Amino acid sequence: MSLPFAPAATGSGDDCLAEGQTLVVDGLSLHVRVSARRVRLGLTVERDASLTLRTPKDCRLHRAEKFVRDNRRWIESKVLLSEERRQLHPVRSLYDGEIHRYLGRDYKLLLVDESAGVGQEDDGHDGRGHSDVSVRLVAGRLRLSRSVAADPQQARKAIAAWYSRAGQRWVQGRLQPWAARMDVAEPPVEVRDLGHRWGTYRAGPDGGGRVALHWAVFQLPIHLIDYVIAHELAHVRVAGHGPDYWRLLGRALPECRRLKAELDELGRRVWMGDVGTQPERR
């Protein structure tokens, strides 16, 4: 959740904010991100309720502090909303028959013995399996090695790795139509754990950039994955989430506001990797 941006005063000297700095204003702790591309100040309440202050280069401390104080009520309301949403993320027990989602569809988890083989992977693309991994999607079941499932953290890591592999294959070629709509070059994309972000775009020093998507995104329906992709691609041209950003995204995806609201609601029910003990089986 990001606040509309405010112009930033700039200057030089020891009172300028630095990349990675932690700024504390009236009890609020904010992680500072500095970008030479940015000309305005912006605030983001992350999905874990942490705060990020985005500033242009050479932004003065007193201007940043005033910006935070002026928007204190907005911050508090968004932090409260973020906390409410965060509490709904499910905890998985990774037991036989548990439901997991991929591209918006439900699949039951099936624990299998190594002697039976995990099987040939079927993710709707090339059907190629890899013998050194312990998770497969085969015939409508997400098959997990029983020995791996015995360790919840190891099982969580294996399933997240499967989502990353399957998502990486699925997303190839998916960016090109959206990049064409926004008249931007298609950047490379990677799928990995992004903490509490659905996606990121990072500009490179040579003008190029890279999109990253959270592996958990691939539990969502396809139209919401496309929204996340388009959302990040818009940042190739516009940093932050100000009016220019939403105008650009709206031209490429007119229903972007509705999709954002849908993602905010459905996204809080997506499994982000939290695991607990297996329920007692009778």
Side-chain angles (χ1 to χ4, degrees):
M1 290 170 283
S2 299
L3 186 71
F5 299 102
T10 61
S12 59
D14 294 338
D15 63 344
C16 291
L17 297 180
E19 170 69 20
Q21 174 182 347
T22 298
L23 176 66
V24 179
V25 181
D26 299 339
L28 294 176
S29 180
L30 304 99
H31 178 68
V32 176
R33 297 299 306 269
V34 178
S35 172
R37 300 171 62 214
R38 184 177 294 278
V39 296
R40 298 179 178 182
L41 278 165
L43 273 168
T44 299
V45 179
E46 309 295 351
R47 287 173 49 229
D48 64 351
S50 63
L51 304 175
T52 299
L53 178 66
R54 304 180 187 278
T55 78
K57 188 178 179 181
D58 298 332
C59 179
R60 302 292 290 270
L61 175 63
H62 75 276
R63 183 67 181 91
E65 290 177 335
K66 182 177 186 301
F67 179 66
V68 173
R69 291 188 178 107
D70 288 348
N71 292 286
R72 177 77 185 231
R73 183 174 297 180
W74 181 90
I75 293 171
E76 290 175 345
S77 68
K78 296 304 181 185
V79 167
L80 179 60
L81 181 59
S82 180
E83 289 285 0
E84 291 173 350
R85 288 174 175 169
R86 185 162 61 119
Q87 293 168 3
L88 292 181
H89 288 304
V91 175
R92 298 294 192 206
S93 298
L94 307 181
Y95 61 86
D96 197 52
E98 185 178 53
I99 297 297
H100 289 257
R101 291 180 175 86
Y102 176 56
L103 303 183
R105 298 182 62 182
D106 291 350
Y107 297 92
K108 287 186 178 181
L109 190 67
L110 176 65
L111 304 186
V112 298
D113 296 324
E114 285 80 353
S115 60
V118 180
Q120 188 81 353
E121 186 168 11
D122 176 13
D123 62 4
H125 291 268
D126 54 22
R128 291 174 297 180
H130 302 276
S131 60
D132 61 337
V133 292
S134 53
V135 181
R136 298 280 192 276
L137 180 59
V138 181
R141 302 293 293 272
L142 192 63
R143 297 161 66 94
L144 171 66
S145 166
R146 194 179 301 276
S147 64
V148 173
D151 181 338
Q153 292 303 322
Q154 187 180 0
R156 181 262 186 215
K157 183 178 179 181
I159 294 175
W162 176 82
Y163 274 113
S164 295
R165 293 192 307 272
Q168 188 75 56
R169 286 192 295 270
W170 184 88
V171 80
Q172 296 306 313
R174 200 79 185 183
L175 275 69
Q176 194 280 329
W178 297 108
R181 291 188 190 188
M182 298 178 201
D183 194 25
V184 300
E186 179 184 357
V189 59
E190 60 181 341
V191 179
R192 56 185 174 86
D193 195 318
L194 295 177
H196 293 274
R197 288 176 173 270
W198 293 122
T200 64
Y201 172 75
R202 293 287 180 264
D206 58 353
R210 177 175 294 271
V211 167
L213 301 175
H214 198 301
W215 59 262
V217 161
F218 296 93
Q219 299 169 68
L220 295 167
I222 290 174
H223 67 282
L224 291 183
I225 303 175
D226 279 340
Y227 167 75
V228 174
I229 290 171
H231 183 102
E232 298 308 329
L233 284 174
H235 286 307
V236 175
R237 290 184 57 186
V238 183
H241 297 91
D244 290 344
Y245 170 86
W246 288 106
R247 277 193 293 270
L248 172 62
L249 184 58
R251 286 196 296 269
L253 190 61
E255 65 272 30
C256 62
R257 294 286 188 175
R258 177 184 62 79
L259 293 174
K260 179 183 183 303
E262 185 178 349
L263 178 62
D264 287 344
E265 176 59 28
L266 184 59
R268 57 181 175 160
R269 296 179 173 86
V270 166
W271 181 56
M272 303 301 293
D274 294 330
V275 294
T277 58
Q278 293 190 8
E280 182 180 353
R281 307 309 299 264
R282 298 185 180 182

